[in-house]
Amino acid sequence: MKSPMNTLSLFASISLLSLGFSAARAQNAPNAPESMRFFVTSAGLGKGGDLGGLTGADARCQSLAAMVGAGARTWSAYLSTQTTAGVPAINARDRIGHGPWYNAKGTLIARDLDELHGANMLTKQTALTEKGAVVNGRGDTPNMHDILTGSQPDGKAFPPDKDMTCKNWTSSTGGAAMLGHSDRTGLTDDPPGRSWNSSHPSRDCSQDGLKSTGGAGLFYCFATN
């Protein structure tokens, strides 16, 4: 017959195991649409850097999320805009809520804005599309790792002296956009080459121009709630 002390010890052990399991689930949420709070768009709009402005980009995020059952959340594109004609700049980091963010397979990407713009968990294997697919990176054919952001490494907008947002996401010809590498891999193994959000500018804002440097007009989407 077990003593009361042994029974209490058994219950305590079970409780600790349950807490550990719960913590693991919190770190990697279930693979269900309601857990996803981040994705890379599976396809661009086909018009280069012309996304219809922030409104059009947000609508694209919302539409893709809805297709996989995650449309109940409010989604925003991780894109900055620059000051123009008296209209103030908008920082990408100010558009996406406060975290935490999980990908389509429930893997934690970042707990908050500081971690997202610091030591986050984004890699080629975790920067997934809304369908849970890996985005082609450096060494794949075609390479699609250039992600539109228009942002500096801290997630803030660039000064207005040089176009870094394809004319605030309305140009499919002239201009340029700052790009990040979704696979964290570039021509050089330095901070820009490894940057997910601020690696190098595009050649121009056309679809062919984006493709020529390893992109497809994809961008990041984050759930704000």
Side-chain angles (χ1 to χ4, degrees), residues 36-37 58 61-62 65 70-77 95-97 101 221-225:
M36 184 177 70
R37 291 172 171 83
D58 289 347
C61 288
Q62 199 71 45
R73 295 192 177 278
T74 301
W75 292 86
S76 290
R95 312 190 70 247
I96 61 172
W101 297 284
C221 298
F222 287 79
T224 63
N225 61 345

Side-chain angles (χ1 to χ4, degrees), residues 115-130:
E115 187 168 69
L116 180 64
H117 295 94
N120 63 49
M121 279 68 83
L122 280 170
T123 66
K124 181 179 180 179
Q125 288 70 38
T126 62
L128 305 177
T129 72
E130 75 281 359

Side-chain angles (χ1 to χ4, degrees), residues 1-192:
M1 180 176 181
K2 294 181 179 178
S3 68
M5 186 61 68
N6 288 339
T7 302
L8 286 173
S9 297
L10 178 61
F11 285 151
S13 297
I14 292 172
S15 298
L16 287 172
L17 287 171
S18 297
L19 285 172
F21 180 69
S22 297
R25 285 175 65 87
Q27 181 78 4
N28 292 291
N31 183 12
E34 60 268 21
S35 73
M36 184 177 70
R37 291 172 171 83
F38 160 87
F39 63 87
V40 181
T41 57
S42 56
L45 294 173
K47 298 187 292 182
D50 181 3
L51 307 176
L54 292 180
T55 300
D58 289 347
R60 178 66 165 172
C61 288
Q62 199 71 45
S63 174
L64 292 176
M67 289 181 183
V68 295
R73 295 192 177 278
T74 301
W75 292 86
S76 290
Y78 183 91
L79 297 169
S80 293
T81 59
Q82 295 171 272
T83 300
T84 179
V87 179
I90 296 175
N91 302 319
R93 65 178 294 142
D94 297 335
R95 312 190 70 247
I96 61 172
H98 302 284
W101 297 284
Y102 299 88
N103 68 14
K105 292 190 176 180
T107 301
L108 181 69
I109 296 303
R111 296 174 180 84
D112 52 36
L113 286 167
D114 287 338
E115 187 168 69
L116 180 64
H117 295 94
N120 63 49
M121 279 68 83
L122 280 170
T123 66
K124 181 179 180 179
Q125 288 70 38
T126 62
L128 305 177
T129 72
E130 75 281 359
K131 301 175 183 178
V134 172
V135 177
N136 279 11
R138 183 167 171 75
D140 297 327
T141 302
N143 181 9
M144 300 166 63
H145 75 168
D146 282 352
I147 309 298
L148 301 169
T149 71
S151 303
Q152 300 185 71
D154 61 0
K156 295 182 179 180
F158 282 92
D161 57 313
K162 185 178 181 181
D163 184 22
M164 288 289 186
T165 60
C166 287
K167 296 178 172 55
N168 288 339
W169 314 113
T170 63
S171 175
S172 60
T173 53
M178 179 53 71
L179 308 165
H181 288 161
S182 60
D183 60 353
R184 314 296 291 271
T185 303
L187 293 173
T188 57
D189 188 28
D190 57 7

